[in-house]
Amino acid sequence: MNKYVLVTGGAGYIGSHTVVALLQQGYTPVIADDFRNANKIVLAGLRSILGHDPLLYPIDICDKQALTALFDKYTFEGVIHFAAYKAVGESVDKPLEYYQNNLVGLINVLSLLQSHQVKNFVFSSSCTVYGEPKGEKEVSETTPKQLPESPYGYTKWMGEQIIADFHRSAPEIKLMNLRYFNPVGAHPSALIGEFPIGKPNNLLPFVTQTAIGKYPHLTIFGNDYPTRDGSCIRDYIHVQDLAEAHVAALDFLSKQQEGLLEAVNIGTGTGTSVLEIVAAFERVTGLTLPHVIGPRRQGDVIEIYANATKGEQLLGWKARLGIEDALRDAWAWEQHLAAL
Ligand code: UDP
């Protein structure tokens, strides 16, 4: 019998890698994605990797009627909910769109879990819920959350709150917030990867797009922070590891007899600075990456990385790949795109 899993936003960056991982582990993903923030190139890549078309419904999950029809059609083993806007800067300019899309989408999915007796749910959360860690830079799931800096951050923070309240009202459902650190890299086939629309905000796509010649140089946002080399530190997690974390989360939830709500950090446990990323990229590719030091970016967290032990203890999952693997795969993907 097919184990159908609804993957909202399954044509996006993390979603598409998770679709591959789900299929490899015996699940049948059903993608709901209206492509407003995804690219058909990723769909072609998915087709090549899988050898067939994935099950795909181009619906807006804020359209409750369309989403209900999908829940009527399939008996889902679980839902992995990615579909959301994710650009921090854009969220400041378009807060209502962010709240509307990210929160209404989540509420629709949760209410359909309940009405259709779907028991397992995984939410794309973010380490943004920790804000700038006070004191210790390594954060665990029990580190107190802080109010976010941006409407985007609030949608994750409020998303977790909505899920917590939902849990009290529907204690039989098994819920997991995966708090991603910084997803990077691409599938080793270089057939799917991150597809930023317009000028990238995130570091990695900016690095690879600079290396391919789209931008004259990378600007490093500040080198006067109180870190080992003055640049900010993040925990960069390979998207392949991240995809596998979702399958591990779903496997774990499926085995539980009782409802629950857990949050799990998905990171490597190691911090890497922006300057270290530049050096590692040059080492892996043999290229010189033009870069200049610029002013600090407003609202940047200085240093944060995951305590990743809960993921290992609870889910039996831990990151296998390192930053060099991620940079190599991200670069292969950028070259693949350039060759299309
Ligand atoms: N960054 C940078 N130049 C860029 C983009 C990002 O120096 O063009 C830095 C940014 O200041 C941060 C790190 O790279 O310290 C990661 O930024 P990103 O936006 O990818 O992730 P986030 O800050 O949301 O964790």
Side-chain angles (χ1 to χ4, degrees), residues 182 201-203 218-221 232 234 236 274 297 300:
N182 289 60
N201 298 303
N202 293 114
L203 178 62
L218 166 76
T219 301
I220 294 178
F221 298 147
C232 292
R234 297 284 186 278
Y236 295 93
V274 182
R297 180 171 70 177
D300 246 342

Side-chain angles (χ1 to χ4, degrees), residues 1-5 19-29 77 247 250-251:
M1 213 176 75
N2 280 327
K3 285 194 285 181
Y4 292 109
V5 178
V19 162
V20 175
L22 283 167
L23 267 157
Q24 282 169 348
Q25 297 303 316
Y27 291 99
T28 304
E77 169 78 16
V247 181
L250 203 59
D251 286 344

